[in-house]
Amino acid sequence: NEGNEYFKEKDYGRAVAAYSEGLRRRCGDAELDAVLLTNRGAAHFHLGNYRSALNDAIQAKKLKPTHLKAIIRGALCHMELKNFSEAIAWCEEGLQIDSKEKKLVEMRAKADKLKGKKLKGTFLGIQTDFSTCCQGGAVLGTDLVCDRNIKLVLEPSDEEEEVSDGLAEITLDGFHSGSATGAKVHLDADGNLNWPVLFLYPEHEQTDFTVAFHENSRFIDHLMVMFAELPPWDLEKKYLPNNLELYFEDEEREEMYEVNPEHTLLQVLQHERYFVKAGTPTVLVFAKRSPFSKKYFSGKKVHRL
């Protein structure tokens, strides 16, 4: 109930924490746990954590295979992640339960249309071009970034990118930069910037995408929410909030920089060697002292804390 109240208030971070606390109670009621997982998945979805949302939908469906809300949420996550074949499979599974469910019928048709189309880029075709908003003089948004000593990389594309209709809309209105995920860098009522942030997990080839990371929020706070429950791909149970190392890459120098989880997003973005590409900050996440990370960093210059 507490989670539902936070959800209604659109305080999705606290909603995730409340639903997670409910799951920790291990009530033994599979149906209630399925609801908690589905609701937490919905909150993760609104935060832009599509992988975490999908994980919750998968777990909810295992507990209650006919739970239509979990199936719809899972299909939506696959759509956001451009997994169109998987989205179709989830839709078909749901339509076997209710053949007239409008959301699934529409999503099934859209996924079928988009299947096989390719988007450039390593993650969802994120393609904001800040050089566009710089044409014709200064724009409020770029001034806000420059005032914060944040460095943007301007990379005008040589060719137009194909973006599926109805799923994503690339727009640029001042500093409100749209991406193929629908995420936007935006200024809140208090004059603070909220960024879409991409988390990469190289060891497992997984990703998380946070739509609105407040510039004064700490990384550890987001990790506590994202890893409130172990992801299903973490079979060794290594990805715990306090057992993670964060890095960003300086591609020009081919060097890695460790990120202090206690630091805020703004502190990291203000680092002299951090460059924001495509309007989307990116962070790499590793389990501490893992054989994979040792191999990954072998031969690379790493600047540690």
Side-chain angles (χ1 to χ4, degrees):
N1 290 338
E2 183 180 314
N4 290 346
E5 287 301 316
Y6 284 130
F7 194 96
K8 289 176 185 175
E9 295 168 5
K10 298 184 178 181
D11 192 343
Y12 301 118
R14 288 185 177 178
V16 166
Y19 294 134
S20 297
E21 181 60 29
L23 287 163
R24 287 193 196 98
R25 299 299 172 95
R26 302 185 184 280
C27 66
D29 184 333
E31 187 151 345
L32 178 55
D33 281 344
V35 171
L36 285 165
L37 284 162
T38 303
N39 289 1
R40 188 176 69 177
H44 270 308
F45 188 90
H46 284 285
L47 287 168
N49 300 332
Y50 302 124
R51 290 283 179 184
S52 298
L54 178 58
N55 292 338
D56 281 345
I58 291 170
Q59 296 303 315
K61 188 157 69 79
K62 285 181 180 177
L63 291 172
K64 187 180 179 184
T66 59
H67 194 27
L68 207 56
K69 285 187 177 180
I71 293 173
I72 292 171
R73 182 63 56 194
L76 284 168
C77 291
H78 278 304
M79 290 294 287
E80 292 291 343
L81 295 169
K82 303 291 192 263
N83 301 331
F84 301 125
S85 294
E86 290 84 349
I88 290 171
W90 279 64
C91 288
E92 289 179 344
E93 188 174 347
L95 290 170
Q96 289 179 4
I97 300 169
D98 184 352
S99 61
K100 297 181 180 179
E101 170 54 55
K102 186 179 178 181
K103 289 182 180 178
L104 290 174
V105 171
E106 292 178 351
M107 207 182 328
R108 171 68 175 79
K110 184 184 291 184
D112 196 45
K113 180 181 178 182
L114 298 176
K115 184 180 177 182
K117 289 188 176 182
K118 294 182 179 179
L119 293 175
K120 289 164 61 180
T122 57
F123 182 75
L124 307 185
I126 296 169
Q127 50 183 309
T128 302
D129 180 6
F130 278 90
S131 63
T132 306
C133 68
C134 295
Q135 294 172 359
V139 175
L140 173 63
T142 53
D143 288 343
L144 287 169
V145 176
C146 293
D147 289 345
R148 286 165 165 77
N149 295 319
I150 297 174
K151 296 165 286 299
L152 301 176
V153 177
L154 306 181
E155 294 182 313
S157 71
D158 297 328
E159 54 182 308
E160 290 197 10
E161 186 132 16
E162 182 183 4
V163 179
S164 26
D165 55 329
L167 185 66
E169 183 179 353
I170 306 302
T171 58
L172 201 56
D173 178 17
F175 191 60
H176 290 69
S177 54
S179 76
T181 61
K184 297 179 179 180
V185 186
H186 65 274
L187 191 69
D188 63 24
D190 298 320
N192 298 304
L193 292 179
N194 291 263
W195 294 81
V197 176
L198 177 61
F199 292 85
L200 303 177
Y201 310 102
E203 182 174 3
H204 297 278
E205 298 182 347
Q206 298 286 334
T207 58
D208 268 322
F209 191 74
T210 299
V211 170
F213 195 132
H214 191 287
E215 63 181 348
N216 293 321
S217 291
R218 301 180 306 165
F219 277 88
I220 187 61
D221 296 328
H222 278 264
L223 294 175
M224 293 295 287
V225 172
M226 293 161 62
F227 292 94
E229 296 288 328
L230 287 171
W233 45 262
D234 181 21
L235 300 179
E236 297 180 27
K237 300 182 179 180
K238 298 185 297 186
Y239 282 71
L240 303 170
N242 293 317
N243 191 45
L244 300 176
E245 292 181 343
L246 310 180
Y247 295 86
F248 70 83
E249 186 171 7
D250 181 348
E251 294 183 7
E252 181 182 342
R253 296 182 178 179
E254 297 183 350
E255 297 176 354
M256 305 290 294
Y257 288 81
E258 189 172 2
V259 172
N260 188 339
E262 298 290 334
H263 281 179
T264 65
L265 175 61
L266 181 58
Q267 286 177 294
V268 174
L269 296 185
Q270 289 177 331
H271 190 282
E272 61 179 356
R273 295 307 303 170
Y274 198 101
F275 300 91
V276 179
K277 292 188 175 183
T280 306
T282 301
V283 176
L284 290 83
V285 184
F286 301 86
K288 287 182 179 178
R289 297 176 294 279
S290 69
F292 177 87
S293 63
K294 290 179 181 178
K295 183 178 180 181
Y296 187 91
F297 293 123
S298 177
K300 296 182 181 180
K301 185 174 182 180
V302 181
H303 300 269
R304 299 194 178 273
L305 296 174

